[in-house]
């Protein structure tokens, strides 16, 4: 009893009306206070070695022109490229939802050899004709069909039809497309309780494939335009499909390439199809017993048709590989080391140079002698160039920071803006030959921010579950921080694989951390295992194991922070998140309730069988097995022993709202106490204004141990 009284007494000055008002006011307090930091760079149209950029000078947005050759900067009288008015595109029917899989029966394709020759879809087959207006639809919405239309293929039917989405060979002799065996569509339904302009609810229906659902089966085909002869290949190399792309013509007009992504994502192939024979061969194959992260694969076909540049995580990091196209053989690995290629900006084929960005403790930035690169945040992105022979690596942006670059079209110059979460942005003009700084364009001024009492979050590093691997995160303190007080800890979590989430660039106001901190908390964010861009092994902890969410790393990191800073109360730790973060937040109190004492879970994908197919099968695999049950918040709702606030938008078209309602049903069945907020009219949301206020009250009540202020008191 004495301990409870002491904790309560220490918290009396936190979670007050004044704290709530300061939290609300801070949103505007820091806005617009950084000067010369938010630089937006554009190439100047019509001049290869000129840029223009906009920047806020403290009073207004100004525009400047950079002449790279002359190394000059001049003030522009206004925006040199005002936004272009959006044009109505005419017909085409209603816009598809992003979850909808098109049937590919609409539209026409025009032959490059005869600009009036078109192919279109009718009655599950391809038809051919001539038209003077080769557009898919008239402005009235009715399809314009050629007067001389004739049927090109005859064997299509509703169970195996021809797609209208394809392409002519360069000489117009062939037409390449796919045949589709359609799968039944899966739909979800939402009731909009208060639609605008009506008092009656509206039922919405949305296509939404989920893990385990059947998918369209696609077979690339080539049709000879003159005769209608169809070349349909064997499916041996692309049988167990998640996705098969539309075939794309090579310049020779004889071969095509397409990709095969296996269901379960253990195999990914780049395939070549011979238009004459229908023979298919593998050019490049990626395999992994867990999953091929196909969203990271990059491909560039050289003009000579003999080489392919490719990126892959096959050695445990994302790197660049050069292939011989004719032999379908690896020539060499272009980049190597414990770093992560993030993107490729340009391939200079003539000079054999690849321009790319990467992160990681590369040890490659020798020109930066100010500190060891091993001490630098491994997530910070730098820009490089390297020869196709794997030699002559040059770091073009060696300064410590997260870099954002815009090149001239010929890669002669670049403008680079760099910062860290604690150091303001600097923008410089560089030579792309060696990265030499030609002039500093802007240096951010944060004196107005500092005058308002702003302080950067702390970058904190501590080992994770293995006691060795450093985890990088942020600690955000309230602006009226007092080290003599005890502060409960709240973690913001999003541990969805596929990215990293702790900010790395300077941001004057991290609202999702600062707002809660102002109420009397210390708010933290950390990237644990299951997140990306450290190594493949670091991320693959998530495989069939999304409930892990990096919690062993997160707990070790928070304990280390609390050991260093005794004012962080390790006995009062809360957690919140949205979407995959909502799933993570609830999982924290189901499996780690000894550590996390309260959770706010918004729009969570609480059972991976209920969420969208492409995200969940990537990490949880296929077919559906017991791992889906083991990771389900629904199946494990009986474990709940801590305060939980669930939030859902009734029109969430990202994560099926039924996912939250199934958790609700399971909790009720298990006799568990919890809170629920349903936000009418809201889509995928952290909670909107109402829900976020409820989140503040929830943590004030359960972590500070005080009753939150009445809402009407905050309006006074």
């Amino acid at each position: 009893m004495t301990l409870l009284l002491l904790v309560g007494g220490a918290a009396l000055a936190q979670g007050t009306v004044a704290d709530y008002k300061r939290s609300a006011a801070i949103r505007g307090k820091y806005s617009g206070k950084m000067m010369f930091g938010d630089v937006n760079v554009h190439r100047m149209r019509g001049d290869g070695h000129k840029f223009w950029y906009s920047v806020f000078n403290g009073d207004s947005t100004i525009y400047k022109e950079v002449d790279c050759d002359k190394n000059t900067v001049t003030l522009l009288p206004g925006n040199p490229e005002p936004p272009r008015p959006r044009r109505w595109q005419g017909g085409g029917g209603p816009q598809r939802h992003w979850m909808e899989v098109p049937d590919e029966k609409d539209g026409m394709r025009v032959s490059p050899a005869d600009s009036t020759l078109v192919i279109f879809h009718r009655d599950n087959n391809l038809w051919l004709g001539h038209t003077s207006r080769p557009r898919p639809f008239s402005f009235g919405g009715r399809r314009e069909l050629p007067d001389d239309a004739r049927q090109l293929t005859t064997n299509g039917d509703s169970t195996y039809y021809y797609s209208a989405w394809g392409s002519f060979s360069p000489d117009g002799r062939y037409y390449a497309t796919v045949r589709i065996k359609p799968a039944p569509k899966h739909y979800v339904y939402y009731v909009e309780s208060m639609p605008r302009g009506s008092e009656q609810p509206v039922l919405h229906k949305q296509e939404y494939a989920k893990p385990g659902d059947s998918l369209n089966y696609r077979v690339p085909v080539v049709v000879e335009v003159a005769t209608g002869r169809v070349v349909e290949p064997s499916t041996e190399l692309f049988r167990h499909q998640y996705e098969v792309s539309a075939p794309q013509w090579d310049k020779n007009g004889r071969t095509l390439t397409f990709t095969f992504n296996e269901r379960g994502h253990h195999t990914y192939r780049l395939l070549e199809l011979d238009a004459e024979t229908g023979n298919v061969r593998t050019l490049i194959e990626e395999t992994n017993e867990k999953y091929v992260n196909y969203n990271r694969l990059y491909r560039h076909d050289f003009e000579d048709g003999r080489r392919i540049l490719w990126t892959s995580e096959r050695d445990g990091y994302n790197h660049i590989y050069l292939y011989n196209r004719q032999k379908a053989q690896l020539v060499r690995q272009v980049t190597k080391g414990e770093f992560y290629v993030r993107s490729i900006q340009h391939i200079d084929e003539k000079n054999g140079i690849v321009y790319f960005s990467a992160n990681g403790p590369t040890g490659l930035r020798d020109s930066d002698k100010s500190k060891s690169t091993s001490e630098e945040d491994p997530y910070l992105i730098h820009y490089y160039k390297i020869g196709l022979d794997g030699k002559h690596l040059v770091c073009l942006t060696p300064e410590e920071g997260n870099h954002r670059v815009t090149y001239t079209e010929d890669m002669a110059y670049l403008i680079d803006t760099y910062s860290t979460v604690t150091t303001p942005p600097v923008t410089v003009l560089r030579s792309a030959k060696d990265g030499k700084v030609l002039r500093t364009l802007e240096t951010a001024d944060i004196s107005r921010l500092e005058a308002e009492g702003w302080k950067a979050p702390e970058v904190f590093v501590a080992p994770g579950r293995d006691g060795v691997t450093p985890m990088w995160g942020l600690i955000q303190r309230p602006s009226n921080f007092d080290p003599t007080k005890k502060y409960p800890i709240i973690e913001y979590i999003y541990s969805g694989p596929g990215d990293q989430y702790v900010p790395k660039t300077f941001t004057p106001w991290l609202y999702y951390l600062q707002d809660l901190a102002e109420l009397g908390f210390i708010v933290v964010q950390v990237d644990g295992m299951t997140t990306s861009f450290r190594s493949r092994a670091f991320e693959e902890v998530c495989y069939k194991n999304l409930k892990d969410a990096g919690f062993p790393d997160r707990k070790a990191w928070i304990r280390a922070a609390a050991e260093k800073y005794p004012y962080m109360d390790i006995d009062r730790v809360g957690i919140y998140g949205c979407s995959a973060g909502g799933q993570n937040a609830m999982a924290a109190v189901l499996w780690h309730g000894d550590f996390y004492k309260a959770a706010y879970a918004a729009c969570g994908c609480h059972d991976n069988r209920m969420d969208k197919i492409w995200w969940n099968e990537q990490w949880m695999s296929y077919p559906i097995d017991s791992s889906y049950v083991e990771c389900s918040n629904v199946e494990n709702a009986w474990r709940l022993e801590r305060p939980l606030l669930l939030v859902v938008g009734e029109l969430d078209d990202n994560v099926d709202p039924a996912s939250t309602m199934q958790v609700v049903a399971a909790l009720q069945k298990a006799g568990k106490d919890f809170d629920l907020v349903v936000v009418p009219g809201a889509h995928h949301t952290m909670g909107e204004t109402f829900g976020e206020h409820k989140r503040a009250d929830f943590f004030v009540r359960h972590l500070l141990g005080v009753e939150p202020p009445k809402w009407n008191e905050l309006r006074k």
Side-chain angles (χ1 to χ4, degrees), residues 661-689:
M661 302 314 293
Q662 288 182 1
V663 166
V664 168
L667 290 169
Q668 291 176 343
K669 183 178 180 181
K672 300 296 181 178
D673 186 22
F674 65 97
D675 295 307
L676 171 67
V677 171
V678 179
V679 187
H683 292 264
H684 200 55
T685 178
M686 183 63 87
E688 313 291 296
T689 302

Side-chain angles (χ1 to χ4, degrees), residues 422-443:
T422 60
T423 56
V426 175
T427 301
V428 297
L429 173 66
R430 298 181 184 273
S431 164
K433 178 181 179 180
D434 53 12
K436 179 182 178 181
V437 174
L438 302 178
R439 73 180 300 142
T440 298
L441 299 172
E442 304 290 345
T443 300

